[in-house]
Each structure stands twice: as structure tokens, then as C-alpha cells.
């Protein structure tokens, strides 16, 4: 591979990694979560409120920790640092659930947040032993859930799963196995959890 081709490959991988990083993907997922109930787009504010607690606040705190030198980078590349960061994110998410309940948020938004909690718990349990891909989990859960919510016309979104996974391997952030495991957590575990909760609560 020529130097030019290698630079293009790495640049594309970095672009995919940054554009489809978990906070961005999950924020979009939460914003569209009220689609399954009447009142949308008027209810999109509840999705934004959920995104504040699930994505924005944990990301801000993470960036502060990076600035202080407590965490290596905003992707938390050091596996040993992942469990504390995930616990911090989980605390923010649980606070968000309380606020959503008090404000009378649509059940579909609560279901999406609970689904994300499930994903955080699974990844957090694995992280001390193995660096499973959060990028792959986020994009696979979002893509599969969107198809389940809105129908087969959205199937092309599934192409993003291998694309984002490829970017993580190219950047040597994960092995192929860690990416596949993350995709399975998002595409099967989290999406399955969402499907069950959607049937029970919405």
C-alpha cells in the first residue's frame, strides 16, 4: 500500500470513529426515541433531556478527566480506566431516569434509556478483563433498533456497523474479536432488551 493510500485509509478510519462515536450515536438515538408514541416531534425535548444525562454530562466529565490527566483520551483507550468511567456514566444515566420519571417523559424514551443502561452494565462487566468495543455496541444497537422502530426501509443503516468496526481495527483501538463482540452486545443484547421493554412498557 502506498503512503498516500495509507494516509487516506487512516483518515477515513479516524473520521468514522469520531463521527460515529458513542455519545453522538446515542444522542441521535435518544432524540428519535419518542417517534413510537403520539406527540412527536413535540416530545423530542424529552429525548434531548435524556441525551443530556446519558451523553452530554458524562462526556463533559470525561473531557475534564482527560484534561486533568486521569484518563488517557475521550475514547478511554486504556481498558483499566473504563470501569470507573462507565460507573460515572451510569450514575448520570440513573439521575436522568429519575428526572424523566418526574417530568412525565414518554415511555419510549424511558425504554431507550433503560436499554442503554443494560448496555453499560454488560460492557462495564466485561471491561476489566477485555476491551470490548463501545463504538461497535453503540452503532449496532442504534442501527438495529432504528430498523425495528421504523421498518426495513432503514436497513441500509446496518452498513454502518462493519464500517465503524473496520475503523476501530484500522486505528488499532480494538481487535476484530473485540469489535465483533461489541456489535453482538449492541445488535443482539441491547436491541433484544429494547424489544422486550417496548412490548411491556409502551
Amino acid at each position: 500500500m502506498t503512503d498516500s493510500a495509507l494516509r487516506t485509509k487512516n483518515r477515513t478510519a479516524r473520521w468514522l470513529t469520531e463521527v460515529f462515536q458513542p455519545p453522538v450515536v446515542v444522542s441521535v438515538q435518544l432524540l428519535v426515541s419518542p417517534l413510537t408514541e403520539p406527540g412527536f416531534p413535540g416530545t423530542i425535548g424529552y429525548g434531548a433531556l435524556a441525551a443530556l444525562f446519558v451523553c452530554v454530562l458524562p462526556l463533559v466529565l470525561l473531557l475534564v478527566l482527560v484534561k486533568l490527566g486521569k484518563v488517557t483520551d475521550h475514547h478511554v483507550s486504556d481498558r483499566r480506566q473504563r470501569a470507573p468511567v462507565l460507573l460515572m456514566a451510569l450514575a448520570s444515566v440513573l439521575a436522568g431516569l429519575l428526572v424523566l420519571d418526574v417530568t412525565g417523559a414518554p415511555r419510549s424514551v424511558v425504554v431507550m434509556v433503560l436499554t442503554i443502561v443494560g448496555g453499560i452494565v454488560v460492557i462495564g462487566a466485561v471491561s476489566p478483563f477485555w476491551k470490548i468495543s463501545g463504538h461497535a455496541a453503540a452503532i449496532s444497537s442504534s442501527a438495529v433498533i432504528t430498523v425495528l422502530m421504523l421498518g426495513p426501509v432503514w436497513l441500509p443503516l446496518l452498513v454502518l456497523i462493519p464500517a465503524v468496526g473496520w475503523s476501530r481495527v484500522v486505528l488499532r483501538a480494538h481487535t476484530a474479536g473485540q469489535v465483533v463482540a461489541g456489535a453482538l452486545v449492541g445488535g443482539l443484547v441491547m436491541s433484544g432488551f429494547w424489544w422486550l421493554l417496548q412490548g411491556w412498557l409502551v
Side-chain angles (χ1 to χ4, degrees), residues 102-158:
V102 169
T103 56
R107 294 291 92 187
S108 55
V109 178
V110 174
V111 164
M112 196 69 79
V113 175
L114 288 172
T115 298
I116 293 163
V117 169
I120 291 173
V121 169
V122 172
I123 293 173
V126 174
S127 287
F129 314 100
W130 201 44
K131 191 183 170 187
I132 193 168
S133 175
H135 277 73
I139 195 64
S140 59
S141 67
S142 294
V144 172
I145 289 172
T146 298
V147 172
L148 292 174
M149 282 176 60
L150 305 179
V153 70
W154 291 89
L155 279 170
L157 281 179
L158 299 181

Side-chain angles (χ1 to χ4, degrees), residues 64-81:
V64 170
L65 290 175
V66 171
K67 185 73 173 177
L68 294 173
K70 303 294 185 181
V71 177
T72 52
D73 58 84
H74 67 290
H75 295 306
V76 198
S77 299
D78 188 336
R79 172 177 55 82
R80 295 166 298 180
Q81 298 169 347

Side-chain angles (χ1 to χ4, degrees), residues 10-190:
N10 288 335
R11 186 162 54 246
T12 302
R14 282 193 296 272
W15 182 86
L16 285 167
T17 281
E18 293 301 332
V19 171
F20 296 104
Q21 60 181 288
V24 174
V25 170
V26 173
S27 292
V28 174
Q29 189 177 3
L30 288 165
L31 287 172
V32 301
S33 61
L35 262 171
T36 58
E37 295 185 82
F40 190 87
T43 53
I44 199 170
Y46 289 105
L49 182 62
L52 173 65
F53 283 93
V54 175
C55 302
V56 178
L57 292 178
L59 179 59
V60 169
L61 290 172
L62 175 58
L63 292 176
V64 170
L65 290 175
V66 171
K67 185 73 173 177
L68 294 173
K70 303 294 185 181
V71 177
T72 52
D73 58 84
H74 67 290
H75 295 306
V76 198
S77 299
D78 188 336
R79 172 177 55 82
R80 295 166 298 180
Q81 298 169 347
R82 289 193 157 201
V85 170
L86 287 169
L87 285 173
M88 174 190 71
L90 184 58
S92 181
V93 171
L94 292 175
L97 276 173
L98 179 60
V99 173
L100 289 171
D101 182 60
V102 169
T103 56
R107 294 291 92 187
S108 55
V109 178
V110 174
V111 164
M112 196 69 79
V113 175
L114 288 172
T115 298
I116 293 163
V117 169
I120 291 173
V121 169
V122 172
I123 293 173
V126 174
S127 287
F129 314 100
W130 201 44
K131 191 183 170 187
I132 193 168
S133 175
H135 277 73
I139 195 64
S140 59
S141 67
S142 294
V144 172
I145 289 172
T146 298
V147 172
L148 292 174
M149 282 176 60
L150 305 179
V153 70
W154 291 89
L155 279 170
L157 281 179
L158 299 181
V159 174
L160 291 173
I161 300 172
V164 173
W166 169 84
S167 77
R168 303 305 287 153
V169 174
V170 166
L171 295 175
R172 298 181 180 180
H174 293 283
T175 64
Q178 291 165 345
V179 165
V180 170
L184 290 175
V185 168
L188 293 179
V189 178
M190 293 177 68

